[in-house]
Each structure stands twice: as C-alpha cells, then as structure tokens.
Amino acid sequence: MFNAHTQLIFYSLRKYGFQRRNESASLYDYHEQLTMQDGGLTALYWSGYDLPETTPTIVLIHTISGSPDSMAELVRDLGLKTGWRIVLCLRRGHGQLPLLTPRFNMVGCTEDFRGQLAHIRERFPDSPLYAVGTSAGSGLLVRYLGEEGGDAPFKAAFAYCPGYDTGTCFDNVHPRYSRIMAKKMVRQFVCPNESVLSSLRTADSLLTATDLGDLYQKLYELAGYDDYPSYDQNTNPMNVFEDIRIPLMVLNAEDDPICHINNLDPWRDRMKTMDNVILVTTRKGSHCAHYEGWSARSWSARLMSDYFKSV
C-alpha cells in the first residue's frame, strides 16, 4: 500500500473483518476475568491454553482502545510463527468488561498488570515468558519493565510503535486522527460509565476533550491521582526507561501518523548506550501495520517472532 494512511485504513478494515467473521471465537480457547484489589475488573484471553506447560508464553498488551477482536490478527500471527501460547491482558473497561469502579487509565496501570502477571505465572509456572506491548500498550510495558529492573520475569520484550514520553507524544498525533480517537475514547469509556464516574470532580471535563492530548491531560483523577504532575511522574514510561535490564527490541515506522517518529529524537542517543536495547526503524509501515506482500501479512509479527526465538 502506497502510504501510511492506506496502511492504517487497511489495518482498521482487517480488524473489522476479524470481528465481523467472529474469528476470535475460535482463536481464543479460554478466557477468565480477574478482580483487582479495589474491585475493578480485568481479563485474560488465552490462545493455545492447552499447549504443554513448558511451552513459552507471549504476554500481549493491547492498544489504546484494544479488545480481543482488535488484537486477533496479531495473536493469530504470533501463534502461527512461534507455535507458542499467547495471552492477551485486557485492561479495565475494554472489550465487554464493565467499569465497576471509577478507575481507568488510557495507557494502563502497572498495578493491574502485576496482578495479571501473578495469575499467569501461577497458571503456568514452568513456561518462559515473553512480552509484546503495542502502541499505548508499549507504554505500559516499558513502565513496568523500568519499575521492575532486573526482577522483570520476561526473557525478552518487544515495544511496537511506542510514543515514548506520554507527556508530549499525544500532541504529535496527526490532528484528524487525534480528534477521531479522542471522540472514540469518550464514547467507549466515558459516556457508558457516567454513573460510575459521577463522584469525580473532573468527570464533566472528560466529556469535552477535543483531542488525545487534551483527554490525557484531563484523565489524572480517573487514573487515581490528585493532579496531572503526579499522574505523569508515576505513569510516564520514559521516567524509568533507563532502568530496564532485560533484552528489549523497539520498532517504529518513520511514517507513523499516530506515534510520530519525532517522539524518538530525545531518546535516541540514550538508547544507543543501552546494551540490552535494539532500536529498529523502517521508512514505511504506518501505525501497527507494516503490511507486506500480496497476502498482506504484517512484517512486525515476523520480526517479533524471530527476535524471541533468537533470544
């Protein structure tokens, strides 16, 4: 496809096709809901659940508005290329999960992720773990890896189309996509949960968000913080990026209209000094697309699989 926008449109149509054909019904062979400490609800969607217990497991962290349907293509491709077990960590309010408490984070919560990981490790204690974070999910992955340092349980990890500094990256999203995505976030996560969110003093301001940057700035109370600086300090992945100790590959497309390549510039030199980090950039690929060939399969899934098997 000849430019970033056609790649992105095809990516969206492909996700819709998976949903319309209900392919995820046969792809995920087991799913379960997990109750977090404050009563919030997350879930795990497994593909290859019944594989031998020593089979490696890829822990997948979804996009900003991700669901089991929207992540089905990557789950399928990773499974085909590795033969490994895949588990999708579904965040609060995503998919068909109700938002039971006034707690929601656009880029995810490491506390919830730790709870999901504990459950995964309890289920398959002898399975080597690998991790993939896609788009906003890469921010959650990097934040977790930095907080854990050498104690992270993964053999290796992959950050796909990250935005890097969450304090600035949303301002660099293509204006049209930024407005569309903000409206979708409000429609998907705020409007259906107004009764749950009514106790928040910032609840009404979320409804008036004009773009992703504006929404992110207003989200701090819903994410559990008293002000925006505290929110940024405790969730921004780049505040702890240099504390990552496990092998990490990062992939960005230079024509990405969502996570703009300029977001990388302040961190490129630091990444060069980190022996455990491999940075890959491609001239084309758009956002989480990277389709190649007449069969239109994503090159990124092949790269992830080859990297993990090499490690």
Side-chain angles (χ1 to χ4, degrees):
M1 286 158 281
F2 61 88
N3 66 25
H5 303 292
T6 55
Q7 285 250 7
L8 198 55
I9 291 169
F10 184 84
Y11 174 56
S12 299
L13 292 174
R14 178 68 64 87
K15 288 192 295 184
Y16 174 74
F18 269 85
Q19 183 176 359
R20 183 174 57 83
R21 294 189 299 271
N22 198 29
E23 290 188 35
S24 61
S26 58
L27 182 66
Y28 301 105
D29 44 32
Y30 184 70
H31 72 272
E32 53 191 325
Q33 295 184 351
L34 307 179
T35 301
M36 302 292 99
Q37 290 185 347
D38 68 340
L41 203 62
T42 67
L44 299 176
Y45 276 72
W46 300 85
S47 181
Y49 185 82
D50 292 327
L51 288 170
E53 292 193 2
T54 56
T55 303
T57 298
I58 299 176
V59 178
L60 180 59
I61 311 175
H62 59 71
T63 57
I64 197 168
S65 59
S67 68
D69 287 328
S70 72
M71 300 304 297
E73 181 182 12
L74 182 55
V75 170
R76 180 203 65 186
D77 289 349
L78 287 174
L80 288 173
K81 293 179 184 301
T82 63
W84 296 353
R85 181 185 298 108
I86 319 292
V87 56
L88 173 65
C89 293
L90 201 65
R91 302 196 290 273
R92 301 178 185 220
H94 289 261
Q96 301 300 317
L97 290 179
L99 198 63
L100 299 182
T101 63
R103 188 77 178 270
F104 174 84
N105 192 331
M106 202 158 81
V107 295
C109 168
T110 54
E111 182 181 352
D112 285 354
F113 186 52
R114 284 188 179 89
Q116 293 173 318
L117 275 180
H119 190 81
I120 292 168
R121 298 178 78 183
E122 182 180 350
R123 282 292 172 94
F124 296 101
D126 297 322
S127 174
L129 297 182
Y130 298 79
V132 173
T134 58
S135 192
S138 67
L140 175 58
L141 175 62
V142 166
R143 179 73 199 195
Y144 170 81
L145 295 178
E147 289 179 355
E148 293 294 311
D151 294 328
F154 301 112
K155 299 291 185 182
F158 195 106
Y160 187 27
C161 292
Y164 298 91
D165 187 341
T166 50
T168 60
C169 69
F170 294 110
D171 296 329
N172 294 326
V173 178
H174 187 287
R176 178 172 295 178
Y177 294 135
S178 184
R179 292 191 295 269
I180 292 172
M181 292 171 69
K183 289 180 180 179
K184 179 181 179 181
M185 294 291 290
V186 171
R187 186 170 62 249
Q188 183 173 345
F189 299 108
V190 179
C191 293
N193 299 297
E194 288 189 67
S195 60
V196 179
L197 308 181
S198 60
S199 61
L200 302 177
R201 55 186 172 81
T202 56
D204 290 340
S205 70
L206 298 174
L207 296 168
T208 63
T210 56
D211 55 35
L212 281 178
D214 185 36
L215 179 61
Y216 183 75
Q217 291 271 343
K218 294 174 175 177
L219 201 68
Y220 63 87
E221 188 183 15
L222 182 54
Y225 296 92
D226 294 330
D227 51 53
Y228 175 76
S230 300
Y231 176 40
D232 182 68
Q233 178 62 35
N234 289 283
T235 61
N236 194 323
M238 302 316 291
N239 291 341
V240 295
F241 179 76
E242 292 177 85
D243 295 325
I244 296 175
R245 295 292 177 266
I246 70 163
L248 172 68
M249 180 175 280
V250 182
L251 172 61
N252 284 101
E254 295 171 8
D255 66 346
D256 190 332
I258 307 297
C259 292
H260 200 282
I261 193 65
N262 288 351
N263 296 329
L264 168 62
D265 291 343
W267 312 101
R268 192 186 298 266
D269 288 341
R270 298 189 197 183
M271 294 173 75
K272 290 179 181 179
T273 68
M274 299 173 67
D275 294 336
N276 57 312
V277 175
I278 300 175
L279 170 65
V280 181
T281 62
T282 59
R283 187 167 60 87
K284 295 183 178 181
S286 191
H287 184 67
C288 296
H290 279 100
Y291 289 111
E292 65 173 357
W294 291 108
S295 61
R297 288 296 177 93
S298 180
W299 174 79
S300 60
R302 179 154 60 91
L303 181 64
M304 295 171 195
S305 303
D306 289 347
Y307 175 58
F308 288 159
K309 288 188 289 185
S310 296
V311 171

